[in-house]
Amino acid sequence: MENNKPQWSSHLSFIIATVGSAVGLGNIWRFPYIMGKNGGAIFLLTYLILIAFICIIPLICELAIGKIYRTDTINALKEINPKFKWFGWLCIATVILIPCFYFVVGGWILNYIWIFISNNLPANFSDYFTSYSSQIFMPCLLTLVFLVMTASFPYRGVNKGIEKANNIMMPLFALMLIVMAVYAVTLPGAKEGLEFMFRPDFTQFNKSMVLTALGQALFTLSIGMGTIITYGSYMKDDSHIVKSGYTLILFDTLIAVIAGIMIFPIVFSFGVAPSAGASLVFIALPEIFAKLPGSSIIGLLFFILLFFAAITSGISILETAILAFINNLKISRQKATLLVCIIVAAISLPATLSFGLLSGVQIANKTIFDLLDYLTSNILLPFNTLLICLLSGWCVNSLWKKIFGENIFGYTFNIILKFIVPVILICVLVSGL
Ligand code: TRP
């Protein structure tokens, strides 16, 4: 077992690494695409309510479990109650399924970096994306390249380079997003874009949208499979759990909303359908880069930063599985990394091909890629989160006292955790399915 585990060198680098895990393709790629498919503003509203009032609770629980037990997800859950070891493995199964589609998108980003480097911009990105993603060789190769690049960090042991690189890249990325969002708002279609995002159409409200919003909220905050338990286990003793939770939520939500403000004006200005699906960002964004002076440089910079955001999240995903394998299968870090990579490669290649060769392979009307995305975000993450709340509330010896002490905040948190959040999660899950 990896004992004497390293701790983050400071509270700040813990926050930056956790934000680095949370801010990723979930914010820039998945959030706009899911919002576009689910009615825009009404989705945003539901999502914000769920984040502020519901998701903060499991987030705090995961941080607390990590900090209290200081071990990987499976062992932490086992220590809470040995009967729940299977649940630890379910979390790890989830953690392995996520990169199987996430890294496909990472491969697309690598390809876009290449087209901007070679300054070989296609005339129509919509056609280009469709034809590129349906190829066999390049997309598969780049999915694997992205996998190997990401895995090389946990392979060498966590975080030395990443801590430093995070400190520079994350602020730079935020700055670039803001500049682009400001520019996007001056485009001719901006008004429609912003209305789509901020003026709710209540007729679009439905139960499956609420579940989708919950899934997106959990996904973007990295909750529901032990990533936060793993990162929390490296937390310094004096780091404050609740404050860290809110800081994380604040940054993550801000980045997602700014990404939306950047993308929807472009979508409406260039006549892209907001409901285009997984390809939305890859069709809409380059349109604007192609129109700007110095387009290839700006496009290149953007996709490099996006690549970085994806890698930091990808590392946190892989690290969760790797640490669990090291501790529970009693194998070395290198072997564990290799094992995770082999499984991810075996599933992510069919997912990559599901935009072309395997597009006919569908289950419940969903391609392999969509199925992985749906299964993890709309079923596994909410289910795991429900169990994490139940375990934290009912099986950990007064978790609330350890976080808040015996005061009004502690009592309130305890009631919300034990009764209110589980009931809401069950309702959303059952009615959404
Ligand atoms: N939150 C990341 C993103 O928005 C993805 C991610 C990292 C994740 N770790 C996770 C999602 C754990 C679910 C669970 O891109």
Side-chain angles (χ1 to χ4, degrees):
M1 203 183 283
E2 285 207 330
N3 272 331
N4 298 325
K5 284 214 302 180
Q7 290 192 358
W8 304 110
S9 49
S10 67
H11 178 64
L12 186 67
S13 51
F14 161 68
I15 291 291
I16 291 184
T18 327
V19 171
S21 157
V23 173
L25 297 178
N27 307 60
I28 315 289
W29 160 72
R30 197 171 189 278
F31 176 70
Y33 118 61
I34 295 285
M35 180 158 64
K37 274 187 124 170
N38 285 276
I42 185 70
F43 174 87
L44 179 63
L45 189 65
T46 316
Y47 165 87
L48 291 177
I49 292 175
L50 286 170
I51 288 227
F53 298 110
I54 306 295
C55 299
I56 180 71
I57 305 291
L59 177 60
I60 290 176
C61 291
E62 282 204 25
L63 283 171
I65 292 175
K67 196 175 169 191
I68 294 169
Y69 295 98
R70 296 215 177 272
T71 180
D72 66 271
T73 307
I74 295 181
N75 278 309
L77 296 173
K78 204 172 72 183
E79 277 187 45
I80 293 177
N81 187 334
K83 275 197 224 118
F84 281 97
K85 194 170 180 191
W86 65 269
F87 175 45
W89 283 109
L90 181 66
C91 287
I92 299 307
T94 314
V95 94
I96 288 181
L97 288 179
I98 287 185
C100 299
F101 66 93
Y102 203 88
F103 289 8
V104 176
V105 183
W108 295 343
I109 295 175
L110 287 177
N111 179 58
Y112 271 58
I113 290 180
W114 173 246
I115 35 181
F116 280 101
I117 287 182
S118 60
N119 205 2
N120 191 3
L121 303 187
N124 179 327
F125 274 95
S126 177
D127 294 346
Y128 172 76
F129 185 83
T130 314
S131 96
Y132 170 75
S133 59
S134 60
Q135 288 171 21
I136 296 177
F137 182 70
M138 272 315 267
C140 285
L141 179 69
L142 292 182
T143 299
L144 293 181
V145 170
F146 189 86
L147 169 63
V148 171
M149 287 171 110
T150 313
S152 70
F153 290 91
Y155 183 83
R156 283 177 279 154
V158 218
N159 269 348
K160 290 207 178 69
I162 272 297
E163 262 194 54
K164 287 213 184 70
N166 257 333
N167 297 354
I168 307 168
M169 297 290 228
M170 295 298 295
L172 198 64
F173 186 53
L175 189 72
M176 183 161 189
L177 277 183
I178 294 173
V179 171
M180 285 186 44
V182 170
Y183 176 75
V185 170
T186 65
L187 289 172
K191 190 164 163 278
E192 276 166 283
L194 294 177
E195 270 182 9
F196 178 77
M197 208 175 142
F198 292 110
R199 180 176 293 169
D201 170 3
F202 288 96
T203 57
Q204 300 245 17
F205 187 87
N206 63 64
K207 291 175 196 155
S208 81
M209 185 273 285
V210 180
L211 177 60
T212 307
L214 175 68
Q216 171 59 22
L218 298 174
F219 186 90
T220 189
L221 293 173
S222 311
I223 307 174
M225 54 182 211
T227 297
I228 302 287
I229 297 183
T230 308
Y231 271 32
S233 75
Y234 302 120
M235 219 173 170
K236 285 184 100 67
D237 292 326
D238 57 359
S239 289
H240 194 285
I241 291 176
V242 180
K243 263 194 229 144
S244 308
Y246 269 109
T247 315
L248 180 65
I249 285 196
L250 190 74
F251 277 113
D252 189 80
T253 309
L254 220 56
I255 298 274
V257 171
I258 295 172
I261 296 180
M262 165 181 82
I263 284 158
F264 285 104
I266 305 178
V267 164
F268 282 88
S269 290
F270 291 93
V272 180
S275 57
S279 59
L280 181 70
V281 169
F282 289 86
I283 299 171
L285 273 180
E287 293 286 4
I288 187 170
F289 296 134
K291 301 279 182 305
L292 292 173
S295 60
S296 49
I297 301 287
I298 299 180
L300 180 62
L301 184 62
F302 181 84
F303 279 103
I304 288 181
L305 291 173
L306 183 58
F307 166 75
F308 192 79
I311 275 241
T312 50
S313 302
I315 291 170
S316 77
I317 301 178
L318 294 184
E319 176 63 17
T320 312
I322 290 168
L323 188 63
F325 278 10
I326 295 175
N327 288 350
N328 294 281
L329 304 180
K330 309 270 181 275
I331 51 179
S332 70
R333 176 166 275 278
Q334 283 68 26
K335 280 209 188 104
T337 311
L338 210 64
L339 183 59
V340 172
C341 282
I342 292 173
I343 305 174
V344 171
I347 307 177
S348 62
L349 289 182
T352 311
L353 293 174
S354 70
F355 288 85
L357 188 65
L358 300 182
S359 60
V361 181
Q362 300 203 350
I363 301 167
N365 248 333
K366 288 184 165 53
T367 62
I368 302 173
F369 181 97
D370 290 337
L371 192 71
L372 285 166
D373 188 351
Y374 180 85
L375 178 72
T376 48
S377 299
N378 288 32
I379 299 174
L380 290 169
L381 291 182
F383 179 74
N384 295 350
T385 304
L386 172 66
L387 280 188
I388 286 174
C389 287
L390 288 174
L391 274 178
S392 314
W394 296 92
C395 301
V396 179
N397 201 356
S398 21
L399 184 88
W400 56 278
K401 224 190 270 176
K402 294 189 176 109
I403 303 173
F404 292 94
E406 280 189 74
N407 55 34
I408 180 80
F409 295 111
Y411 301 137
T412 318
F413 178 82
N414 191 27
I415 295 186
I416 296 178
L417 171 63
K418 274 190 165 151
F419 302 101
I420 302 182
V421 169
V423 169
I424 294 179
L425 287 177
I426 291 173
C427 291
V428 173
L429 200 62
V430 170
S431 65
L433 292 176

